[in-house]
């Protein structure tokens, strides 16, 4: 069987049945486990799956905001509360796209702050709060994910400065690399990092390792990680070497 055909069948199996072991894929396709491991390595390099212990899981791709917003709400609220507590009145806050940033915005009501965002749901949440100076970045609208992207968004960010950036992610690799599932969002996230004094990554336990084919930044670009996850040894070491503070939110079990 040609490698390209094997790759198609592997992805189909992962997307229809969820995570699969190397041994199971080997039996299904009638090839050796070594061949499957090489296939999985190539597919991971292409950003189409994530290898896990003994097998692999398919990349899910970008999910609509409304779907993601209903998942792990209590965990996201705990992370958002810890993030919001870092901010002092009078400061400027840059909020990334995503549902955890939205949950953080809900924690900012009644504060005297400047909030800058490309997140349309954050804008809608804070639009009527007269104590918050609200700056909505321009750009092309991604309707499904309720965000603004493109060169207009990036140009806006080059003209602004924020004390804090609260950054979302779809996955964090063991080396501390922050990933995203959608390439079009990456330049905006990078521009946000450049526009901010302190960068806080908001990442619940599902983000370790999570998903994502596109690298946003490395651990050296972060100041703080707020998570409810027991961070694995390799990732923790990468963060510590880069001087990143790890803040735990909620109950964490090792």
């Amino acid at each position: 069987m040609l490698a390209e055909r094997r790759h198609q069948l592997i992805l189909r199996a992962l997307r229809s049945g969820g995570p699969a072991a190397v041994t199971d894929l080997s039996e299904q396709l009638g090839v050796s486990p070594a061949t499957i491991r090489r296939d999985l390595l190539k597919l991971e390099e292409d950003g189409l799956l994530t290898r896990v212990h003994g097998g692999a899981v398919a990349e899910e791709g970008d999910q609509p905001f409304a779907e993601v917003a209903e998942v792990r709400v209590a965990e996201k609220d705990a992370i958002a509360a810890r993030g919001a507590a870092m901010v002092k009145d009078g400061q400027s806050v840059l909020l990334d796209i995503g549902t955890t940033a939205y949950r953080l915005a809900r924690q900012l009501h009644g504060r005297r702050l400047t909030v800058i965002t490309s997140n349309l749901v954050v804008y809608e949440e804070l639009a009527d709060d007269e104590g918050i100076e609200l700056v909505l970045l321009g750009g092309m609208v991604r309707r499904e994910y309720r965000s603004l992207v493109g060169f207009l968004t990036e140009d806006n960010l080059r003209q602004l400065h924020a004390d804090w950036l609260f950054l979302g992610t779809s996955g964090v690799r063991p080396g501390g690399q922050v990933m995203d599932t959608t390439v079009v969002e990456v330049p905006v996230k990078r521009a946000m990092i450049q526009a901010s004094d302190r960068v806080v990554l908001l990442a619940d336990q599902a983000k370790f390792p999570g998903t994502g084919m596109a690298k946003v930044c490395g651990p050296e670009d972060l100041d703080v990680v707020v998570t409810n996850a027991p961070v694995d040894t390799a990732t923790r070491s990468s963060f510590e070497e880069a001087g990143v503070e790890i803040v735990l939110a909620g109950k964490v079990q090792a």
Side-chain angles (χ1 to χ4, degrees):
M1 184 186 300
L2 294 176
E4 183 177 350
R5 178 59 177 164
R6 284 200 313 274
H7 294 172
Q8 292 173 351
L9 294 174
I10 289 170
L11 291 173
R12 184 182 301 171
L14 295 176
R15 287 167 180 163
S16 62
V22 168
T23 52
D24 292 337
L25 293 170
S26 173
E27 291 177 5
Q28 289 177 33
L29 301 183
V31 296
S32 70
T35 298
I36 293 295
R37 291 189 185 95
R38 287 193 295 271
D39 290 339
L40 297 182
L41 179 61
K42 175 63 169 61
L43 289 167
E44 184 176 53
E45 290 173 351
D46 292 342
L48 298 172
L49 56 74
T50 299
R51 287 184 299 158
V52 296
H53 182 68
V57 59
E59 294 289 350
E60 296 181 0
D62 199 25
Q63 295 175 279
F65 186 96
E67 292 181 11
V68 184
E70 302 299 322
V71 178
R72 299 185 302 279
V73 174
E75 296 178 18
K76 293 173 184 177
D77 278 342
I79 291 169
R82 292 301 300 268
M86 298 178 186
V87 181
K88 297 178 180 179
D89 280 0
Q91 292 187 318
S92 53
V93 179
L94 184 50
L95 292 182
D96 190 14
I97 67 159
T99 57
T100 309
Y102 161 62
R103 304 306 299 187
L104 193 149
R106 292 169 59 92
Q107 304 274 347
L108 300 180
H109 281 296
R111 305 284 301 275
R112 185 175 58 84
L113 300 167
T114 297
V115 175
I116 308 162
T117 190
S118 61
N119 188 327
L120 291 172
V121 184
V122 166
Y123 165 77
E124 292 165 0
E125 178 67 30
L126 299 176
D128 295 330
D129 193 322
E130 296 183 359
I132 292 178
E133 192 78 21
L134 188 56
V135 179
L136 181 64
L137 300 168
M140 294 291 293
V141 177
R142 291 183 65 214
R143 291 179 176 84
E144 286 271 309
Y145 209 68
R146 310 299 304 280
S147 67
L148 294 154
V149 297
F151 75 93
L152 292 173
T153 319
E154 296 164 49
D155 283 349
N156 284 179
L157 284 163
R158 280 190 278 268
Q159 300 175 59
L160 296 170
H161 169 268
D163 296 305
W164 296 91
L165 164 62
F166 291 96
L167 185 69
T169 180
S170 60
V172 181
R173 295 293 183 251
Q177 295 88 4
V178 178
M179 309 300 291
D180 199 87
T181 55
T182 309
V183 173
V184 71
E185 295 285 0
V186 172
V188 174
K189 289 175 180 282
R190 290 176 178 170
M192 287 181 171
I193 292 169
Q194 293 299 314
S196 305
D197 282 344
R198 290 179 63 78
V199 179
V200 182
L201 181 69
L202 308 174
D204 64 53
Q205 61 185 353
K207 306 302 174 63
F208 295 90
T211 60
M213 62 174 287
K215 179 182 174 182
V216 174
C217 67
E220 66 278 1
D221 296 305
L222 305 175
D223 295 290
V224 183
V225 174
V226 183
T227 183
N228 66 330
V231 181
D232 64 88
T233 302
T235 308
R236 180 178 289 276
S237 295
S238 298
F239 285 149
E240 289 176 349
E241 289 175 9
V244 179
E245 178 186 2
I246 300 174
V247 175
L248 299 179
K251 184 177 180 181
V252 179
Q253 298 179 343

